Amino acid sequence: MKVSFDFDGTLSRDDVEEYAKDLINRGIEVWIVTSRMSDEDIANSFQPWTRPNANLDLLETAERLGIPLENVKFTAHVDKIEFLKGKDFVFHLDDDVHELIEIMSSSDSCQPLNVDYFSWRENCEEALKNIK
């Protein structure tokens, strides 16, 4: 069983990081799927706002949680559903309504869950319970 978390505004929050750690301890495969550009994409970019080590915070969080780098996907601003579809993710937790609507609009079984809802944790647990 695997789940996906956005980083900025989601897994960057202490309460969400704590929940992700709990899921990992329960044997659930946790992924980070972010709209950010990878360091490689940034290095090849000529955008003035890019900077070296722009993903250091994300990579440190992944390491702290024990999320392997192969479970971190940088979509470079492509809709996340393009990565998620067909990969049997139970849910994707995000704060970006556009991303959530795109997932909901697809025919994929991944449940889009909004971290800004007060019941986000309960919604995640309900999605997991429905799979078991």
Side-chain angles (χ1 to χ4, degrees), residues 3-20:
V3 298
S4 170
F5 290 81
D6 171 49
F7 185 74
D8 295 297
T10 305
L11 192 56
S12 61
R13 290 176 27 179
D14 291 341
D15 59 336
V16 178
E17 181 176 334
E18 178 183 308
Y19 181 65

Side-chain angles (χ1 to χ4, degrees), residues 26-117:
R26 289 162 46 190
I28 296 170
E29 185 177 336
V30 172
W31 284 65
I32 300 172
V33 179
T34 178
S35 295
R36 288 184 182 192
M37 295 171 62
S38 69
D39 287 339
E40 181 180 331
D41 288 340
I42 291 170
N44 294 326
S45 170
F46 298 104
Q47 305 300 330
W49 61 83
T50 59
R51 65 193 195 295
N53 300 315
N55 294 313
L56 189 58
D57 56 343
L58 184 153
L59 297 173
E60 287 174 343
T61 299
E63 183 177 350
R64 189 169 48 252
L65 289 172
I67 298 172
L69 289 180
E70 53 269 11
N71 287 15
V72 177
K73 175 63 179 173
F74 295 93
T75 67
H77 308 290
V78 173
D79 289 337
K80 293 172 187 169
I81 187 59
E82 297 305 317
F83 171 75
L84 296 168
K85 66 182 171 187
K87 294 185 174 70
D88 297 321
F89 283 93
V90 176
F91 66 76
H92 175 74
L93 186 65
D94 209 311
D95 65 325
D96 185 326
V97 174
H98 169 78
E99 294 287 359
L100 297 170
I101 289 172
E102 289 300 309
I103 296 167
M104 190 182 319
S105 299
S106 77
S107 60
D108 198 75
S109 62
C110 180
Q111 291 189 41
L113 299 177
N114 192 329
V115 74
D116 290 332
Y117 286 6

